[in-house]
């Protein structure tokens, strides 16, 4: 439940309400907006029976939060969150572009890509060091060696860097090298991994599971935030449907739906959503137009030589053109790109 304070409620009134809640063994999450303060209550609300909290000074009304996710819920935190990551923020006002190869293959491939995507205007370099491949015989990633290349690219270009983690061991390694952890679609409901990411203390990009509903996705984010890590960004990357023309089906409606249900930023990955290079550009434009907080796009120096996801990867030239073409879309929605 949430306790909505009156617009003129004093600080003392808010603290009094918070201490009543805490004295009953419940957790308090304060959200101070320009107009009103909301006291979010996490735990078994029946413990508040008999507390008369609804008539406590400064309380306007009490609203039950019926969804099972609380801390990522918009009702708990009506203002959209801006998430600090590396040297920047992800959220309202900007379109953050994360670009790079599907997999880190060698130092030169990563460094060349980093320089090219930075020049085109990306602020994040992506690249997989731990690859959750469908087949165990496909390239599985360079692991810690790849993370070292990521850090070198970061130091050389000033880009923020993000890598997918697939195990607690990978998290332990990655926190030494990257600005943001990525939890991939296949691990969205790996609850132990989500808890470890929550404990890691660094920002997390949480991709939507292949067949996950939006509520399941938000509950997965709740696992991370409930371990004390509020720095979460969601990523829509397409879902499984009966359609086979594209690798997945981009659920563009997820952007406004997330915006309505949660305060967390949401970005879109048109590369994994489609699996087809030619569809990346139109869907990237659609994502910006619909209000996404950013994009994740696969770029490779030689897509036809790529060890993974070549068919959906853009060349450097294609990426540069895309970035230029996206600018008017960002301007239309009042965001910087
Ligand atoms: C990736 O971003 O490298 C990736 C594997 O994506 P997803 O988890 O969305 O399939
Ligand atoms: Mn990929």
């Amino acid at each position: 439940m949430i306790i909505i304070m009156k617009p003129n409620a004093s600080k003392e009134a808010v603290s009094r309400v918070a201490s009543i809640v805490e004295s009953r063994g419940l957790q308090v999450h304060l959200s101070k907006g320009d107009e009103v303060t909301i006291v979010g209550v996490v735990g078994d609300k029946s413990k508040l029976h008999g507390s008369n909290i609804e008539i406590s000074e400064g309380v306007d009304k009490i609203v039950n939060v019926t969804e099972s996710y609380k801390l990522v819920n918009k009702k708990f935190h009506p203002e959209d969150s801006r998430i600090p990551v590396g040297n920047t923020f992800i959220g309202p006002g900007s379109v953050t572009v994360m670009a790079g190869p599907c997999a880190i293959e060698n130092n030169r491939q990563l460094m060349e890509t980093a320089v090219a995507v930075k020049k085109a205007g990306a602020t994040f370099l992506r690249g997989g060091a731990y690859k959750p491949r469908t087949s165990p015989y496909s390239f599985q990633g360079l692991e810690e060696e790849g993370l070292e290349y990521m850090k070198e690219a970061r130091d050389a270009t000033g880009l923020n860097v993000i890598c997918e983690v697939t195990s607690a061991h990978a998290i332990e390694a990655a926190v030494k090298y990257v600005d943001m952890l990525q939890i991939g679609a296949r691990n969205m409901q790996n609850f132990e991994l989500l808890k470890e990411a929550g404990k890691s203390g660094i920002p997390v990009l949480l991709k939507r599971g292949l067949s996950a509903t939006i509520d399941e996705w938000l509950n997965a984010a709740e696992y991370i935030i409930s371990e004390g890590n509020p720095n979460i960004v969601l990523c829509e990357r397409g879902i499984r449907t009966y359609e086979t023309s594209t690798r997945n089906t981009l659920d563009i409606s997820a952007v406004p739906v997330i915006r309505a249900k949660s305060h967390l930023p949401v970005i879109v990955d048109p590369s994994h959503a489609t699996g087809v290079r030619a569809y990346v550009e139109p869907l990237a434009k659609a994502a910006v137009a619909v209000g996404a907080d950013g994009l994740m796009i696969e770029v490779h120096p030689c897509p036809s030589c790529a060890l993974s996801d070549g068919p959906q990867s853009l060349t450097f030239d294609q990426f540069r053109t895309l970035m230029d073409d996206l600018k008017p879309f960002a301007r239309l929605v009042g965001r910087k790109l």
Side-chain angles (χ1 to χ4, degrees):
M1 63 184 246
I2 55 171
I3 302 165
I4 303 176
M5 302 300 292
K6 290 181 179 152
N8 58 358
S10 64
K11 267 197 206 144
E12 293 70 30
V14 175
S15 327
R16 215 169 299 124
V17 167
S19 17
I20 296 174
V21 173
E22 281 168 347
S23 71
R24 301 269 172 144
L26 299 164
Q27 270 183 322
V28 166
H29 289 265
L30 281 187
S31 169
K32 290 195 181 103
D34 289 341
E35 305 264 296
V36 291
T37 296
I38 288 174
V39 183
V41 178
V42 181
D44 175 7
K45 61 178 189 285
S46 67
K47 290 185 179 165
L48 281 172
H49 281 162
S51 68
N52 282 338
I53 200 150
E54 62 281 4
I55 54 166
S56 185
E57 192 197 322
V59 171
D60 183 6
K61 59 179 176 219
I62 298 198
V63 176
N64 279 325
V65 176
T66 46
E67 295 86 2
S68 47
Y69 51 88
K70 311 290 178 193
L71 304 180
V72 303
N73 200 311
K74 189 124 190 162
K75 291 178 186 147
F76 264 59
H77 192 290
E79 278 167 35
D80 291 334
S81 288
R82 271 178 98 221
I83 306 297
V85 189
N87 60 17
T88 188
F89 287 89
I90 302 177
S94 50
V95 177
T96 301
V97 180
M98 306 180 175
C102 180
I104 303 163
E105 297 168 9
N106 54 62
N107 203 1
R108 183 163 166 204
Q109 168 241 21
L110 190 67
M111 194 62 84
E112 278 180 13
T113 312
V115 170
V117 301
K118 160 103 189 193
K119 201 157 164 230
T123 51
F124 277 73
L125 176 67
R126 63 142 287 143
Y130 302 87
K131 295 303 303 174
R133 304 302 299 280
T134 303
S135 160
Y137 308 119
S138 302
F139 177 59
Q140 302 287 310
L142 296 181
E143 305 190 345
E144 194 149 354
E145 182 187 347
L147 295 173
E148 279 165 16
Y149 298 156
M150 214 52 175
K151 187 160 187 323
E152 279 178 40
R154 173 184 190 257
D155 294 343
T157 59
L159 285 166
N160 301 294
V161 298
I162 175 166
C163 267
E164 176 167 359
V165 285
T166 50
S167 64
H169 168 75
I171 293 180
E172 206 182 307
V175 293
K176 294 183 271 176
Y177 301 97
V178 302
D179 299 292
M180 189 174 209
L181 304 176
Q182 175 175 321
I183 304 274
R186 288 156 196 79
N187 276 310
M188 190 208 81
Q189 282 186 316
N190 181 341
F191 299 116
E192 292 309 313
L193 189 67
L194 296 172
K195 287 189 217 165
E196 289 303 319
K199 289 179 197 142
S200 73
I202 74 166
V204 179
L205 181 75
L206 178 64
K207 288 192 144 194
R208 182 178 182 178
L210 282 86
S211 306
T213 65
I214 288 178
D215 278 13
E216 286 164 346
W217 188 15
L218 288 171
N219 273 299
E222 189 79 12
Y223 266 91
I224 301 173
I225 203 169
S226 63
E227 292 294 333
N229 186 352
N231 295 323
I232 305 166
V233 175
L234 302 167
C235 178
E236 162 60 38
R237 47 77 72 204
I239 48 173
R240 279 265 165 95
T241 68
Y242 51 79
E243 182 52 66
T244 53
S245 313
T246 46
R247 184 174 175 181
N248 295 290
T249 297
L250 179 63
D251 180 12
I252 199 80
S253 61
V255 176
V257 173
I258 289 290
R259 191 76 73 230
K261 288 174 174 263
S262 177
H263 54 90
L264 297 177
V266 56
I267 72 165
V268 169
D269 172 350
S271 307
H272 290 91
T274 61
V276 180
R277 183 177 308 118
Y279 305 151
V280 170
E281 179 226 306
L283 291 178
K285 288 177 176 168
V288 175
V290 84
D293 295 292
L295 294 165
M296 172 171 268
I297 293 178
E298 285 188 339
V299 178
H300 196 282
C302 171
S304 61
C305 328
L307 294 184
S308 72
D309 287 350
Q312 69 197 32
S313 300
L314 302 189
T315 63
F316 295 168
D317 277 351
Q318 286 167 334
F319 181 65
R320 190 171 346 101
T321 307
L322 173 64
M323 289 297 278
D324 289 342
D325 291 351
L326 287 173
K327 290 206 171 84
F329 286 84
R331 224 174 292 128
L332 266 176
V333 292
R335 289 174 185 260
K336 249 190 2 247
L337 178 126

